Amino acid sequence: MSLAVGQLLNHYPQKRLSPEAITQLIEDWIQDLGGYPTDVIFATCQAWRRSSKTIAPTPGQLITLAEPIMAARNFHIRVLHSVLEAQVTSKAST
């Protein structure tokens, strides 16, 4: 996750921070985004980077983008579970 966010933030000018401030910033981002899978964070960062935005996002802005990605991911997982369950049930009844 820190790789995805770090790569994203490299695209936008930033003020110089002390090493301690950078460490705190990274810890805050991880805390804010830690509930999301890494692939969703990468997709969210990519979506921001490809948007017309000209400034770096806040964690809250990335969370707003992550929610529909998570919803789509969860939908596909539910569909796959249903398909697998139907196949197992079908094989068990034959």
Side-chain angles (χ1 to χ4, degrees), residues 76-90:
H76 291 293
I77 289 171
R78 285 192 306 274
V79 168
L80 287 172
H81 278 277
S82 296
V83 169
L84 289 173
E85 187 176 301
Q87 287 178 350
V88 168
T89 302
S90 174

Side-chain angles (χ1 to χ4, degrees), residues 2-47:
S2 60
L3 175 63
V5 171
Q7 288 174 340
L8 174 65
L9 295 179
N10 284 334
H11 288 268
Y12 304 95
Q14 300 174 29
K15 60 184 175 188
R16 292 199 182 268
L17 299 174
S18 68
E20 296 81 16
I22 292 171
T23 299
Q24 183 61 53
L25 185 68
I26 290 169
E27 288 174 5
D28 291 345
W29 277 82
I30 289 171
Q31 182 182 16
D32 292 341
L33 301 175
Y36 295 92
T38 304
D39 63 308
V40 171
I41 297 301
F42 271 99
T44 302
C45 289
Q46 183 182 57

Side-chain angles (χ1 to χ4, degrees), residues 51-85:
S51 75
S52 61
K53 307 288 187 189
T54 59
I55 59 171
T58 64
Q61 290 170 312
L62 288 187
I63 289 169
T64 299
L65 287 176
E67 286 302 318
I69 295 169
M70 278 299 296
R73 183 179 200 250
N74 289 335
F75 169 77
H76 291 293
I77 289 171
R78 285 192 306 274
V79 168
L80 287 172
H81 278 277
S82 296
V83 169
L84 289 173
E85 187 176 301

